[in-house]
Amino acid sequence: MALSSRRLQPLALVALALLAGCDRGSPPATDAATAEAPRQAPAWVAALEREVEAIDAAMPGDFGVYVHRLGPPADAGGLDLGGRRAWYLSSTIKVPVAIAVLEAVDAGELSLDEEMQLKASDFVDGSGDMLQHDPGERFGIGTLLEKSLRDSDSTATDMLIRRIGEDHLNARIAAWTAGGFGQVTTIQQVRRDAYGALHPKVAGLDSRQILALRQAEAGEPRLQALAAALGVPRAELGDTSFEQVFEGYYARGLNSATLPAFGRMLERLAAGELLSPDSTALLLGHMRAITTGSRRIQAGLPPGADFAQKTGTQQQRACNVGILDPERGRDGATVVVACAEHFGELAQAEQAFQALGRALGAMPSAGG
């Protein structure tokens, strides 16, 4: 259980909204009799907070949740149970990658029809079908975007990052969120950074050698395979376990963010502030059609719920982010950012996400 040490007041989101709406040119009120009392959060906020606390208590490890509903004062509000710290995002970083790509499309700096050549250095393990293709094949930006979001194809994602540039991507994320994100890297770089802490020779492995490590089971067999690829005795990698390798990587803060920072990005996306209407619709359409979300929040939502989402999974880390009722935009869309850590079996994290989906489904509808 983690909430006891990181519980934040859900009214904080309401207070921030009220401050943002103040007229900076107005003098401060001095008549206590006419001063308005702070608006209380909608009843659904406290109910959802209780549900999330129960979910966190039932799941091994930590469960962080940020929820924010946009809209009129009677409905708007939310809670931040993320502990004011960064959470590892895994494949949910593919959302800001997609936003940056479509932002460049809107600016006329690239086209969805533009083609990129698949290079041997692009290959990285993960889901999707890009690994079945050969170097030299060409793919349109629009196709790569669809594969990255719908299938969570990491090779497609890394190609998109190669096209827009890692520095540009991180600069744009900072501009959208005003902080809260660590450096976002390619997916392949995640592997290189994690394994690179074990031996300097990792820097000399090519992408195919890194990719081949996936054939060994995660854990000690993977480290033995790494030693074999490096041509060194297993002992040269030290006595660090596979789990410790990734915990050391997570501690660096790469590809991580606070939950409110990711939430701010999704809020601006839902409000139409980041992309053109056509690009927003394209992105949300891909997020509605992902192939990796059926066992997480979506599984707990009522049938037919409109949830544009993205999932991410890595060693003892899992996330599910998205927008409920995205068509409502600033008039009632609900942003959800949820991450789990140290959960043991992935099924236990999935049960927590599903329980969150049921809790979200019990919320009153916006404007209702």
Side-chain angles (χ1 to χ4, degrees):
M1 179 175 177
L3 290 177
S4 60
S5 62
R6 58 179 171 80
R7 184 172 178 270
L8 301 181
Q9 291 294 332
L11 286 174
L13 290 175
V14 176
L16 288 174
L18 290 172
L19 288 172
C22 290
D23 181 355
R24 294 185 180 182
S26 300
T30 57
D31 187 350
T34 60
E36 293 186 8
R39 182 175 65 85
Q40 291 189 342
W44 65 262
V45 175
L48 182 61
E49 181 184 19
R50 290 192 295 270
E51 291 291 334
V52 173
E53 287 178 332
I55 294 167
D56 179 66
M59 190 201 82
D62 296 343
F63 192 57
V65 175
Y66 174 93
V67 177
H68 187 201
R69 173 177 283 173
L70 307 177
D75 292 322
L79 71 161
D80 172 16
L81 300 176
R84 298 182 182 272
R85 66 175 179 87
W87 296 69
Y88 184 71
L89 300 171
S90 52
S91 284
T92 65
I93 64 105
K94 293 167 183 175
V95 175
V97 171
I99 295 173
V101 168
L102 288 171
E103 184 183 57
V105 170
D106 289 341
E109 296 168 357
L110 60 82
S111 165
L112 293 175
D113 295 328
E114 176 186 325
E115 291 189 341
M116 293 188 66
Q117 186 178 71
L118 175 63
K119 298 181 178 181
S121 58
D122 292 320
F123 288 116
V124 59
D125 61 281
S127 57
D129 66 1
M130 289 295 288
L131 293 178
Q132 301 172 23
H133 294 274
D134 297 320
E137 291 189 48
R138 303 186 69 83
F139 298 87
I141 294 290
T143 298
L144 294 174
L145 192 71
E146 178 176 342
K147 290 177 179 293
S148 174
L149 289 171
R150 295 194 182 202
D151 302 332
S152 202
D153 195 302
S154 295
T155 299
T157 303
D158 279 6
M159 290 177 70
L160 292 173
I161 294 175
R162 171 160 64 85
R163 176 62 181 84
I164 61 176
E166 192 173 305
D167 289 344
H168 174 79
L169 171 62
N170 282 281
R172 297 312 302 146
I173 292 173
W176 305 328
T177 63
F181 269 74
Q183 181 184 358
V184 173
T185 72
T186 63
I187 309 299
Q188 185 181 124
Q189 192 62 43
V190 173
R191 280 56 166 162
R192 291 188 177 278
D193 286 340
Y195 298 136
L198 295 175
H199 201 285
K201 279 191 173 182
V202 169
L205 296 179
D206 62 32
S207 61
R208 289 287 188 179
Q209 290 173 300
I210 295 287
L211 180 62
L213 296 177
R214 70 181 180 137
Q215 298 175 13
E217 182 182 355
E220 179 57 27
R222 184 77 55 85
L223 297 183
Q224 293 177 3
L226 175 62
L230 296 173
V232 302
R234 167 64 180 88
E236 278 198 28
L237 303 185
D239 58 2
T240 304
S241 70
F242 185 76
E243 292 75 16
Q244 290 171 327
V245 168
F246 275 88
E247 288 300 326
Y249 171 76
Y250 299 141
R252 297 178 59 184
L254 301 170
N255 298 296
S256 299
T258 65
L259 303 189
F262 205 107
R264 283 194 298 273
M265 181 180 66
L266 293 182
E267 288 156 18
R268 298 193 66 191
L269 174 66
E273 297 176 3
L274 298 184
L275 299 173
S276 69
D278 286 346
S279 289
T280 299
L282 178 63
L283 176 53
L284 294 175
H286 287 327
M287 291 175 67
R288 287 183 176 103
I290 72 167
T291 60
T292 59
S294 63
R295 300 171 67 92
R296 299 198 183 175
I297 291 173
Q298 184 76 58
L301 292 172
D306 186 6
F307 187 42
Q309 60 169 322
K310 184 70 190 77
T311 61
T313 310
Q314 199 165 278
Q315 174 70 28
Q316 289 298 300
R317 298 292 188 275
C319 290
N320 197 175
V321 306
I323 308 171
L324 274 165
D325 299 319
E327 294 303 320
R328 290 181 176 267
R330 60 172 58 90
D331 295 321
T334 300
V335 165
V336 182
V337 184
C339 291
E341 299 179 350
H342 306 296
F343 41 73
E345 297 296 325
L346 179 59
Q348 299 191 81
E350 291 174 337
Q351 290 168 7
F353 288 121
Q354 291 167 23
L356 176 60
R358 291 190 291 273
L360 293 168
M363 289 167 50
S365 61

